[in-house]
Amino acid sequence: MQQQEFRRRRQELMNLMGEGSVAVLAAAPERVRNRDVQYRFRQDSDFQYLTGFPEPEAVLVLVPGRSQGECVLFCRERDPDREVWDGPRAGQDGAVRDHGADDAFPVDDIDDILPGLLEGKDKVYCMLGVDPDFDHSLFGWVNQIRARARAGARAPGEFVALEHHLHEMRLLKSQEEIATMRRAAQVAASAHRRAMEVTRPGMSEYQVEAEFQAIFRRHNGEQAYLPIVGGGANGCILHYVNNDAVLNDGDLLLIDAGCELDCYASDITRTFPVNGRFSGEQRAVYDIVLEAQRRAIEAVVPGAHWNRPHEEAVQVLTRGLKDLGLLAGDLDGLIESEAYRPFFMHRTGHWLGMDVHDVGDYKLDGQWRELEPGMVMTVEPGLYISRNVPDVPARWHDIGIRIEDDVAVTREGYEVLSEGAPKDGDEIEALMRG
Ligand code: GLY
Ligand code: MN
Ligand code: MN
């Protein structure tokens, strides 16, 4: 992402905030996995969106109209001893030179400096409730100013939720963001293709998962979330992540795996037969889910409301369940009573962006919001016929199918960012025949 894109975002946010306000936002902390082992550092998405600054222990302060610079970054000082162990830090010079800060201070000095930036302002935009320790610090800085009220110091009187403006901005992606998401989806799609090529009965779910990890890392990507690699009955467990079972001849394999590149996620699910040939029952259910997904994608157009793709999917899935004999009754009545829910218990999608379940409101003033160019969402209908659902003949048991693509709303309609992953049943079988 170019520095000017981060600058443009900060400027847009400050325009929305207006004079007399200040925004304060903390970087993500480093997180411990167990004892002395840490997770790889992942920047907080909001902080990343506004700064691109890749370090923990940093605080961004935006002060519209500040003559010495509106973008102030508190960050770690250079430390040659620590840098021997942990690698280079930007320091204050680097923050200004390489990361677009107008002014930078050591984060250890924040208690002395930040109250001065808040003093005399009306509003503080911040993320209250995300990190109680940071909230506590913020109130402490404001209280420092209140303590000097008799000397004429004026503390901000209003705390405003930063996410209202910021998450609305994040919901509408720029061309550069869409391009990054397209790359993330292409990498993940190529991994799904590879999984279809290598899967054989007798392999383990984790061996297929390894293909994803290898391809993501080969592109300097990460898993956007814990992948689901579920054979047979495991494909009916929505959040299955153990990925440690053997793949059986005759079972389906459901894989939900997405790659994150430059802090942007993809989120793709494909389902295919372990042995390369769908059974009649598997193919019948598969084709219903595929039609539901295609119909739902067709509903992703500017001006349609958020719930249209879900409504399309529900219609096709319910009719399909009726055709299979798994539901009986009047179609409208079955939809109205949500009779499909034992087999389709989640929604058809979510916003996608820096977070896999990305930020942004789904309703405005109580109504589903309209889709606009620049929004990106998943379209992911499924049918899960668990043996635990009563009164289902055994031949349908353990058929768990989801098909998930990443879809950007464009001016003309939509773009499927993840189209490189095969989903037509015949195409999958041809690919697996080799
Ligand atoms: N992979 C998470 C989801 O599909 O929502
Ligand atoms: Mn999803
Ligand atoms: Mn998914």
Side-chain angles (χ1 to χ4, degrees):
M1 209 60 66
Q2 306 273 332
Q3 273 306 319
Q4 67 193 44
E5 170 115 354
F6 295 115
R7 192 180 304 276
R8 182 189 61 70
R9 295 170 182 175
R10 292 192 294 266
Q11 197 55 56
E12 186 180 337
L13 178 62
M14 285 191 280
N15 291 345
L16 292 166
M17 288 162 47
E19 292 276 329
S21 61
V22 56
V24 184
L25 183 65
E30 288 178 296
R31 293 181 207 273
V32 174
R33 181 174 183 274
N34 57 304
R35 203 177 267 276
D36 291 339
V37 180
Q38 291 184 334
Y39 286 103
R40 195 196 303 276
F41 180 70
R42 164 58 155 82
Q43 188 55 278
D44 172 80
S45 297
D46 290 319
F47 191 89
Q48 174 73 19
Y49 182 80
L50 290 173
T51 66
F53 190 69
E55 296 184 19
E57 296 184 73
V59 176
L60 171 69
V61 185
L62 295 177
V63 196
R66 179 173 178 263
S67 56
Q68 310 93 308
E70 296 179 312
C71 174
V72 180
L73 196 61
F74 292 87
C75 59
R76 302 179 301 190
E77 284 188 273
R78 300 292 307 270
D79 180 339
D81 290 339
R82 279 315 317 164
E83 289 180 42
V84 168
W85 293 86
D86 302 332
R89 301 172 170 188
Q92 287 65 53
D93 290 345
V96 172
R97 187 185 57 238
D98 304 326
H99 297 282
D102 297 319
D103 214 353
F105 301 102
V107 71
D108 287 341
D109 296 344
I110 196 166
D111 289 340
D112 300 326
I113 298 170
L114 188 51
L117 297 172
L118 301 177
E119 187 174 333
K121 302 289 185 251
D122 303 320
K123 296 180 192 173
V124 183
Y125 283 83
C126 55
M127 295 282 179
L128 288 181
V130 174
D131 175 354
D133 290 342
F134 191 73
D135 292 351
H136 191 254
S137 300
L138 187 56
F139 294 139
W141 296 321
V142 171
N143 280 337
Q144 273 192 44
I145 308 171
R146 288 184 181 139
R148 291 188 288 103
R150 279 193 299 279
R154 192 167 63 84
E158 219 181 315
F159 290 92
V160 185
L162 178 59
E163 55 263 41
H164 289 321
H165 290 320
L166 189 53
H167 292 177
E168 202 57 22
M169 287 168 58
R170 278 180 54 190
L171 177 58
L172 294 169
K173 276 76 176 169
S174 67
Q175 285 307 315
E176 198 168 350
E177 289 181 285
I178 301 266
T180 305
M181 294 185 70
R182 191 182 291 116
R183 282 195 297 121
Q186 282 167 350
V187 172
S190 72
H192 279 272
R193 211 182 157 81
R194 171 84 183 151
M196 291 173 192
E197 287 167 352
V198 302
T199 295
R200 298 284 178 271
M203 283 176 74
S204 295
E205 292 164 347
Y206 52 80
Q207 290 173 318
V208 181
E209 178 183 344
E211 300 289 334
F212 287 82
Q213 187 68 354
I215 290 173
F216 294 174
R217 292 303 297 139
R218 206 171 287 146
H219 291 83
N220 199 17
E222 300 268 354
Q223 296 173 163
Y225 50 88
L226 281 182
I228 296 165
V229 184
N234 294 334
C236 295
I237 303 172
L238 292 182
H239 290 166
Y240 177 76
V241 288
N242 286 353
N243 303 351
D244 58 0
V246 171
L247 296 170
N248 297 316
D249 200 347
D251 280 350
L252 291 174
L253 175 58
L254 183 154
I255 303 179
D256 185 343
C259 176
E260 178 180 295
L261 281 187
D262 293 340
C263 289
Y264 284 86
S266 54
D267 181 7
I268 303 178
T269 308
R270 290 292 184 266
T271 311
F272 57 89
V274 167
N275 65 14
R277 292 278 304 172
F278 288 97
S279 72
E281 286 82 2
Q282 290 168 350
R283 185 63 188 258
V285 181
Y286 188 88
D287 284 344
I288 292 166
V289 177
L290 185 59
E291 193 203 336
Q293 206 237 10
R294 288 192 164 133
R295 286 273 299 277
I297 289 175
E298 294 293 324
V300 180
V301 291
H305 67 67
W306 160 260
N307 210 40
R308 280 298 303 149
H310 182 63
E311 290 168 357
E312 291 291 336
V314 162
Q315 175 93 14
V316 176
L317 295 175
T318 308
R319 189 173 347 98
L321 287 165
K322 209 167 113 84
D323 293 345
L324 296 179
L326 295 174
L327 291 178
D330 161 66
L331 181 60
D332 290 342
L334 292 170
I335 291 171
E336 177 72 26
S337 65
E338 301 189 349
Y340 53 84
R341 284 192 73 88
F343 308 104
F344 178 47
M345 58 299 274
H346 58 76
R347 294 192 53 82
T348 301
H350 49 81
W351 302 130
L352 182 70
M354 302 184 80
D355 295 305
V356 65
H357 292 173
D358 206 31
V359 295
D361 291 330
Y362 291 94
K363 284 188 170 178
L364 298 177
D365 299 325
Q367 304 292 325
W368 295 116
R369 76 184 300 159
E370 286 187 5
L371 301 178
E372 298 172 45
M375 293 174 172
V376 183
M377 59 199 283
T378 65
V379 178
E380 49 177 307
L383 286 174
Y384 313 91
I385 313 182
S386 160
R387 59 182 60 228
N388 301 324
V389 181
D391 303 326
V392 173
R395 64 195 182 105
W396 302 108
H397 283 173
D398 301 338
I399 296 182
I401 294 168
R402 178 165 63 256
I403 306 172
E404 175 174 29
D405 278 307
D406 304 343
V407 185
V409 185
T410 64
R411 268 210 291 267
E412 298 75 31
Y414 62 83
E415 176 188 349
V416 180
L417 304 178
S418 49
E419 66 183 358
K423 60 183 176 184
D424 175 81
D426 291 341
E427 193 185 339
I428 289 173
E429 288 189 346
L431 179 66
M432 293 186 75
R433 268 197 303 276

